[in-house]
Every structure is written in C-alpha cells, then in structure tokens.
Amino acid sequence: GFVASKVGNKENSTEDIQVPQSLSFFREVSISGSIVLMIVFIVVGIFIPALTPEGEVLIIYTLKKGLAFGAGLTIMLNGVRMLISQIVPAFKGISEKIVPDAIPGFDCPLLFNYRPNAVIIGFIVAMTTSTILMIISNTFNVFGVILVPMVIISFFECGAAAVVADAQGGLRGAIIGTFCAACAVVGLVGISAAMTYSNTIQNWILIFGGNDISLFGTITKYIISAFTSI
C-alpha cells in the first residue's frame, strides 16, 4: 500500500476496467480464480510433464483442480460472510464484557469482495514475479533450499496486497505494489525456510510462508539467539 501510494494514481482503479456484459461472470473471484489457476496448471504441466499424475490427462486434471479451487474459495468466502453476519454479533456481548471496544480480526480474503479485479491482477503479477524469482533462486542456489511455485501465497497474500495497493494507487499502484510484495514474499520464504524453520516446518513454510510467520519467526529466532549466546 505504501509503495502504491507513491507510484500510482488512485483515481484509475482496477474496478474501472470495462468488462463486456457477456464476460461479466469473470468478476466473480471464484470463477476467475479457477480459470487463472487452470491456466497456471496447464503451463506448468506442459513444461514439467512429470508433475501430472500418471494416468491423468493434463486438460482434465487441470479442469478438476481449477474447479476444486473455485469450490474451496466459494466455501471460504461464504464462511467469511457467515462470520460477519452471524458469529460476530453472537459473540459481541461476551467480547464487550471481556475486551471492551474490541475489533474483530478476519483473514485477508475478507477484502476480496471489495475489489475482485485487483485480486486477479495481483495473483497474475505475483505468480509471474515469484515464478521468475524462484527459477533464478533455484538455478543459482541463492537460499540453499529449493523453492516451489507459490500459488497459495500469490493468491491469498498478494491478492489481498493488490486490493490494498489498488485503494492507495489504483491500477498502476496495484501492479507495482504487488510486484514488490511478491519479491518480499520470495525473500521471506527463502530466508525462513533455509534458516529459521530448517529443522521444524520447512516444507510447510515453502507452501504457506512468506507472511507474518516468516517475518516475525525469523526476527524472534535472532532475538532468542542473541540472548542465549549471552
């Protein structure tokens, strides 16, 4: 958001992009997300055929994976809406007694419905950026650990980053801001997987890291190491 505010123009939002009426269903993030993920799987499957399970046809396999992703995303977003409309009011009375004026915290997909175009643009930018950086990192062994395609991080973390960036800097801000976020994600994943969590949850970090657990986990480890050395 900070980067977007410096380089972008919030007057030119991603939501101003005109989509033909016949293609308006693409504005539904679960549908557009499924299609984009299918394309990603097809491209990866063409270049790395061994990743397609034996006995599966690439097109059918990517179709199933894309639909499964869309279904899961729909369930998750409906769950977020249910939390907002039903569960939060139910716990409000209790929370007011225990923690007065508390503000409920939700996961980043809460933002997706506000700017669905930004989510898709952010995912595409982040997936492209992180994949290029991943190839460079693995080729030159930058982190000493093999990075894997960051599909989940690119969609959730960087998709949410694109929404924030769009609000601060419009379309240009969303693209540049998400590019910077993707670069940070790759760095955080590489450093935390290689150094912070190398003996614990390294595999998990390679798939789901690059966010607060990578950043603050690394900071905490070095603080603890400083004290233990004393």
Side-chain angles (χ1 to χ4, degrees):
F2 173 77
V3 171
S5 67
K6 301 301 180 184
V7 301
N9 176 16
K10 64 172 62 178
E11 301 301 322
N12 182 23
S13 171
T14 58
E15 299 310 302
D16 294 333
I17 298 175
Q18 296 298 317
V19 179
Q21 190 65 31
S22 59
L23 300 176
S24 59
F25 64 90
F26 279 111
R27 293 183 64 84
E28 175 57 47
V29 69
S30 58
I31 295 175
S32 50
S34 297
I35 294 173
V36 170
L37 198 67
M38 285 171 56
I39 295 172
V40 170
F41 268 92
I42 289 173
V43 172
V44 173
I46 291 173
F47 284 98
I48 315 176
L51 293 179
T52 304
E54 188 176 351
E56 290 274 9
V57 178
L58 177 60
I59 297 297
I60 302 301
Y61 178 69
T62 56
L63 178 63
K64 291 192 295 185
K65 286 296 182 182
L67 291 175
F69 178 81
L73 187 60
T74 299
I75 293 170
M76 181 194 65
L77 293 176
N78 284 333
V80 169
R81 295 188 189 104
M82 185 180 71
L83 277 170
I84 297 173
S85 63
Q86 298 179 23
I87 297 179
V88 170
F91 281 91
K92 187 171 179 60
I94 299 174
S95 67
E96 286 297 327
K97 287 185 169 55
I98 300 175
V99 188
D101 301 321
I103 299 174
F106 295 102
D107 203 355
C108 57
L110 175 69
L111 301 174
F112 288 1
N113 289 326
Y114 292 100
R115 285 178 164 86
N117 287 349
V119 176
I120 299 304
I121 291 171
F123 174 55
I124 294 172
V125 171
M127 194 67 207
T128 304
T129 304
S130 63
T131 301
I132 293 172
L133 292 177
M134 177 197 71
I135 293 171
I136 295 172
S137 300
N138 292 344
T139 301
F140 295 98
N141 196 26
V142 175
F143 299 108
V145 62
I146 299 297
L147 302 182
V148 298
M150 302 176 182
V151 179
I152 294 175
I153 307 170
S154 294
F155 189 81
F156 288 101
E157 270 80 356
C158 293
V163 174
V164 175
D166 181 44
Q168 297 297 320
L171 176 60
R172 185 169 68 241
I175 293 173
I176 299 175
T178 308
F179 169 80
C180 295
C183 293
V185 159
V186 173
L188 286 171
V189 167
I191 292 171
S192 60
M195 299 165 61
T196 310
Y197 302 109
S198 58
N199 297 318
T200 53
I201 56 171
Q202 185 184 71
N203 290 341
W204 189 90
I205 283 292
L206 289 173
I207 300 172
F208 298 104
N211 42 41
D212 51 354
I213 191 170
S214 291
L215 175 62
F216 294 113
T218 302
I219 294 173
T220 303
K221 178 178 180 178
Y222 280 105
I223 292 175
I224 293 173
S225 298
F227 278 103
T228 53
S229 63
I230 296 173

